RNA sequence: GGCGCGGUGGCCAAGUGGCUAAGGCAACGGAUUGCAAAUCCGUCAUGCGCGGGUUCGAAUCCCGCCCGCGCCUCCA
């Protein structure tokens, strides 16, 4: 199968082939851990997961690596490359407040002044969210998710290399800067030239912040600052690394190559972050490429508006799952599908209605599975030549067209399934990519007719009322169950209440 | 100002030169039901942001315009 992906580097859709046919190496920029990740973050993380699963669907062996940015860095964008309030300090303040309000459980972060505790708290929260949403790499935390703070040494090595190769210099202010003029391809990824960057910046860059730089676009690799909350010794003074260097280093270190296959991230990372990564990596390795393919997910809107804290539509994963976003609890598979179903290069509009649509799809696929599993315990081994998998795969191979792939799957799902084992095999292959029916690897889903005693007894009471033809009472109980977030069904075996998926 | 992406029915979303424009949701009609839910059957874009052009033929190619979004040193 010819797999084609859109490559930001060339602005075209290209055929994908890994550098090393044995293994596809992909790296994705992960979260910063000063706060809970939001659904926009997860749209792009799940997009990376989808690419991985698509490649695996076609038989590739994939090594995926992601970073956790736990170095503080700066918050104040008016200041070019440093200073400002440290993000860890800001998080410490917030955690103290959240502990008072109960948003962060008492005892979760023993000492908010310890940035490592804060980072670990939000890292754990991120991993929990990521696993709930079926992100494969989140189950490989020990191996393939790397913390910036545990890789300071390789960063320092790369900075030394860059200095040795005349790509970096120590400015008169003592800061180590990357010299963008030393790298002729700087700007290629984002379609910028150094001239454009300079004029485009307008009045936003203050001269005082440029004092130590040879070119205004030069960016920081290391800043000596012994007052910084997270700091390490280095040949350039005790301080902290620049924001971009961690990805260059960790990708190379863990993936074991100077040139990798795919690098992913949100569209906002194209510039400056990924542009700088390329400059650093290629400057250090001397190779003519860092990642063959650069793939970026577009932003997510919420009910047609930009997601922002000020408009009150800023949702974390747990806000959505626990019902704070829409008023209904949402099954993780529904959120997963909602975040992956629209094309990654279009703006997706996250809406309550969209979630309910996704819930319908998830339910259909889950019900198909239980129907098939009630008929057979075997799942036939189906190869990709089956017409449904062909159609499904062709859409995925075409720059990850999930909507098209669903268009192939859903009519099949609604149709007849004379050979249950075959259909189950097909569903398993489809679900290896979508991961919604079921979501987890374990195959266990939350029970339907929830084991909650009160729900079961309400169902029993409804059966009694119906047997006595006491219709008003029956209707009253059904309303009560629906109020509690259940779909109520009357079956030959009696009344069943199923938790709504969204 | 520069660079890039996009605009398909009430909503989501395929289709990128050629039969009657996938699929889902919603809606509506019917079967079923105590009433519902679920399920099944049926209906639902002479039109693809707007205006030109190329072509035997365009949602699809070309030109112009309008609108939305992102980036241009916090950002998924």
């Amino acid at each position: 199968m010819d797999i084609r992906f859109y490559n930001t580097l060339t602005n075209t859709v290209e055929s994908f082939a890994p550098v090393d046919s044995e293994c596809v190496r992909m790296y994705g920029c992960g979260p910063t851990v000063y706060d809970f990740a939001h659904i926009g973050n997860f749209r792009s993380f799940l997009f990376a997961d989808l690419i991985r699963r698509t490649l695996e669907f076609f038989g590739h062996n994939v090594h995926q690596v992601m970073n956790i940015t736990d170095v503080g860095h700066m918050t104040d964008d008016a200041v070019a490359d440093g200073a400002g309030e440290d993000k860890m300090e800001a998080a410490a303040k917030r955690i103290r407040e959240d502990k008072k309000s109960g948003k962060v459980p008492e005892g979760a972060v023993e000492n908010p002044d310890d940035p490592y505790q804060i980072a670990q708290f939000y890292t754990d929260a991120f991993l929990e969210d990521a696993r709930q949403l079926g992100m494969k790499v989140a189950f490989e935390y020990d191996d393939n998710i790397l913390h910036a703070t545990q890789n300071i040494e390789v960063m320092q090595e790369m900075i030394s290399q860059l200095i040795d190769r005349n790509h970096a210099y120590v400015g008169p202010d003592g800061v180590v800067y990357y010299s963008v003029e030393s790298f002729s391809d700087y700007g290629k990824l984002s379609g910028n030239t150094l001239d454009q960057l300079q004029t485009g910046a307008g009045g936003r860059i203050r001269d005082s912040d440029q004092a130590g730089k040879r070119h205004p676009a030069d960016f920081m690799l290391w800043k000596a600052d012994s007052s910084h909350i997270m700091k390490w010794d280095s040949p350039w003074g005790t301080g902290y690394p620049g924001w971009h260097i961690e990805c260059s280093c960790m990708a190379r270190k863990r993936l074991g190559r100077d040139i990798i296959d795919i690098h992913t991230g949100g569209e906002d990372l194209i510039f400056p972050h990924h542009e700088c990564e390329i400059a650093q990596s290629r400057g250090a390795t001397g190779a003519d490429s860092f990642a063959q393919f650069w793939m970026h997910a577009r932003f997510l809107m919420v009910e047609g508006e930009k997601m922002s804290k000020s408009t009150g539509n800023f949702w974390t994963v747990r806000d959505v799952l626990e019902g704070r976003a829409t008023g209904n609890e949402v099954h993780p598979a529904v959120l997963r599908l909602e975040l992956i179903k629209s094309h990654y290069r279009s703006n997706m509009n996250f809406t309550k209605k969209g979630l309910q649509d996704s819930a319908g799809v998830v339910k259909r696929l889950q019900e198909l599975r239980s129907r098939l599993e009630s008929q057979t315990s075997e799942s036939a081994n189906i190869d990709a030549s089956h017409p449904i998998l062909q159609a499904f795969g062709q859409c995925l191979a075409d720059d990850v067209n999930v909507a098209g792939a669903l268009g192939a799957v859903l009519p099949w799902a609604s149709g007849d399934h004379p050979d249950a084992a075959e259909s189950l095999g097909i569903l398993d292959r489809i679900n290896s990519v979508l991961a919604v029916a079921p979501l987890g690897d374990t195959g266990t889903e939350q029970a339907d007719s929830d084991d909650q005693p009160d729900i079961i007894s309400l169902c029993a009471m409804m059966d009694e009322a119906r047997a006595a033809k006491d219709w008003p009472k029956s209707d009253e109980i059904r309303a009560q169950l629906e109020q509690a977030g259940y779909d109520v069904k009357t079956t030959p075996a009696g009344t069943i209440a199923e938790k709504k998926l969204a």
Side-chain angles (χ1 to χ4, degrees):
Chain A
M1 178 66 74
D2 180 29
I3 302 173
R4 298 168 65 77
F5 291 140
Y6 183 90
N7 190 351
T8 307
L9 203 52
T10 56
N11 286 131
T12 55
V13 176
E14 298 173 20
S15 289
F16 173 79
V19 179
D20 165 12
S21 61
E22 296 294 306
C23 179
V24 176
R25 291 173 171 81
M26 60 185 288
Y27 183 91
C29 289
T32 50
V33 285
Y34 329 122
D35 202 351
F36 294 108
H38 55 72
I39 53 176
N41 298 129
F42 272 96
R43 147 112 139 148
S44 81
F45 300 148
L46 286 172
F47 146 70
D49 183 66
L50 197 58
I51 291 169
R52 172 188 179 157
R53 287 172 180 271
T54 294
L55 289 164
E56 288 174 343
F57 178 84
F58 290 114
H60 287 287
N61 176 30
V62 180
H63 187 180
Q64 182 189 10
V65 170
M66 176 179 256
N67 66 304
I68 298 268
T69 299
D70 54 357
V71 181
H73 299 299
M74 49 293 181
T75 55
D76 189 348
D77 67 340
V79 181
D81 274 321
E85 188 181 32
D86 183 276
K87 282 186 171 169
M88 284 300 175
E89 291 178 35
K93 273 186 205 164
R94 199 172 49 242
I95 282 193
R96 277 194 211 94
E97 282 161 23
D98 286 352
K99 275 188 147 183
K100 280 178 205 157
S101 71
K103 200 171 158 191
V104 170
E106 202 56 47
V109 179
E110 245 172 70
N111 176 14
D113 290 320
D114 178 353
Y116 290 92
Q117 287 189 25
I118 294 170
Q120 197 56 51
F121 172 73
Y122 286 119
T123 299
D124 291 343
F126 165 74
L127 291 170
E128 190 187 321
D129 291 347
R131 287 171 183 157
Q132 281 216 81
L133 294 179
M135 261 173 65
K136 276 193 160 183
V137 74
F139 293 93
E140 304 164 350
Y141 175 52
D142 293 335
D143 294 323
N144 294 325
I145 296 185
L146 279 68
H147 285 258
T149 52
Q150 289 164 18
N151 290 276
I152 300 295
E153 222 170 281
V154 283
M155 295 189 216
Q156 293 185 355
E157 282 164 25
M158 189 175 275
I159 293 168
S160 293
Q161 278 175 327
L162 288 169
I163 293 172
D164 291 346
R165 299 177 73 112
N166 291 317
H167 283 297
Y169 60 93
V170 180
D173 50 3
V175 177
V176 184
Y177 290 109
Y178 189 98
S179 168
V180 293
E181 289 162 306
S182 74
F183 183 67
S184 59
D185 278 344
Y186 191 82
K188 199 178 162 203
L189 179 73
S190 56
N192 278 308
T193 62
L194 289 179
D195 286 350
Q196 282 168 358
L197 285 172
Q198 207 158 355
T199 52
R204 273 168 295 166
I205 296 176
R206 285 182 300 191
D207 290 345
S208 58
D209 300 321
Q210 299 301 317
K213 296 184 184 182
R214 293 178 188 167
H215 186 281
D218 286 355
F219 56 92
M220 179 192 126
L221 296 172
W222 189 270
K223 183 175 174 111
D225 180 358
S226 55
S227 69
H228 198 258
I229 189 165
M230 284 177 141
K231 53 179 185 258
W232 296 266
D233 290 336
S234 88
W236 315 284
T238 298
Y240 60 97
W243 171 40
H244 314 298
I245 193 75
E246 61 179 81
C247 293
S248 286
C249 293
M250 280 149 54
R252 185 191 196 185
K253 176 184 167 184
R254 186 64 191 101
L255 291 170
R257 275 188 175 254
D258 290 348
I259 301 176
I260 64 171
D261 295 300
I262 300 174
H263 193 121
T264 63
E267 61 176 331
D268 57 323
L269 296 183
I270 296 170
F271 190 91
H273 187 53
H274 289 165
E275 196 73 78
C276 294
E277 279 188 47
I278 292 172
Q280 291 164 343
S281 291
R282 289 181 51 196
T285 64
D288 60 3
S289 172
F290 171 32
Q292 290 201 100
F293 276 76
W294 288 84
M295 298 178 69
H296 297 95
R298 298 226 41 188
F299 269 27
L300 160 145
M301 318 275 284
V302 172
E303 304 287 353
E305 291 183 1
K306 289 181 203 180
M307 183 167 68
S308 73
K309 285 183 176 165
S310 58
T311 54
N313 62 2
F314 188 93
W315 304 122
T316 65
V317 168
R318 39 201 75 203
D319 287 335
V320 175
L321 297 183
E322 291 163 16
R324 285 188 294 278
T326 61
N328 294 332
E329 282 183 34
V330 175
H331 185 109
V334 172
L335 179 55
R336 175 180 168 90
L337 184 67
E338 180 63 13
L339 291 174
I340 64 174
K341 78 177 179 189
S342 53
H343 192 82
Y344 73 93
R345 280 191 295 119
S346 306
N347 274 125
M348 83 150 290
N349 190 15
F350 183 88
T351 61
K352 181 169 181 168
K353 192 167 178 308
L355 275 175
Q356 280 162 352
D357 284 3
S358 294
V361 171
V362 169
K363 191 159 191 185
R364 277 177 61 180
L365 293 176
Q366 289 184 350
E367 281 176 353
L368 173 63
R369 173 171 294 279
S370 32
R371 199 158 77 238
L372 295 172
E373 285 178 345
S374 70
Q375 290 167 39
T376 181
S377 54
E378 272 175 66
S379 164
N381 196 8
I382 308 294
D383 71 43
S385 65
H386 188 280
I388 294 305
L389 293 177
Q390 274 276 328
F392 180 75
Q394 260 164 19
C395 290
L396 291 175
D398 180 17
D399 200 25
V400 206
N401 178 2
V402 179
L406 283 172
V409 167
L410 291 170
W412 167 80
S414 302
D416 290 331
H417 296 276
D419 184 342
E422 182 190 58
S423 291
L424 201 52
I426 293 167
L427 182 60
D428 283 343
R429 296 281 320 253
I430 288 166
N431 198 54
S432 71
V433 179
L434 298 180
V436 297
L439 191 153
D441 293 333
T442 56
T444 54
E445 279 297 291
Q446 66 177 49
D448 273 341
S449 215
D450 248 27
D451 312 313
Q452 296 187 23
D454 49 333
I455 298 300
I456 290 172
S457 69
L458 279 170
C459 288
M461 279 165 66
M462 198 166 147
D463 284 336
E464 280 170 37
R466 295 186 72 246
K469 296 197 191 296
D470 184 351
W471 309 129
K473 174 144 196 204
S474 167
D475 290 348
E476 188 194 312
I477 297 169
R478 176 165 49 220
Q480 205 178 329
L481 284 164
E482 281 172 351
Q483 190 70 38
Y486 286 80
D487 285 325
V488 180
K489 286 186 193 175
T490 306
T491 73
T495 300
I496 293 176
E498 290 178 345
K499 188 109 176 94
K500 286 194 176 108
L501 296 176

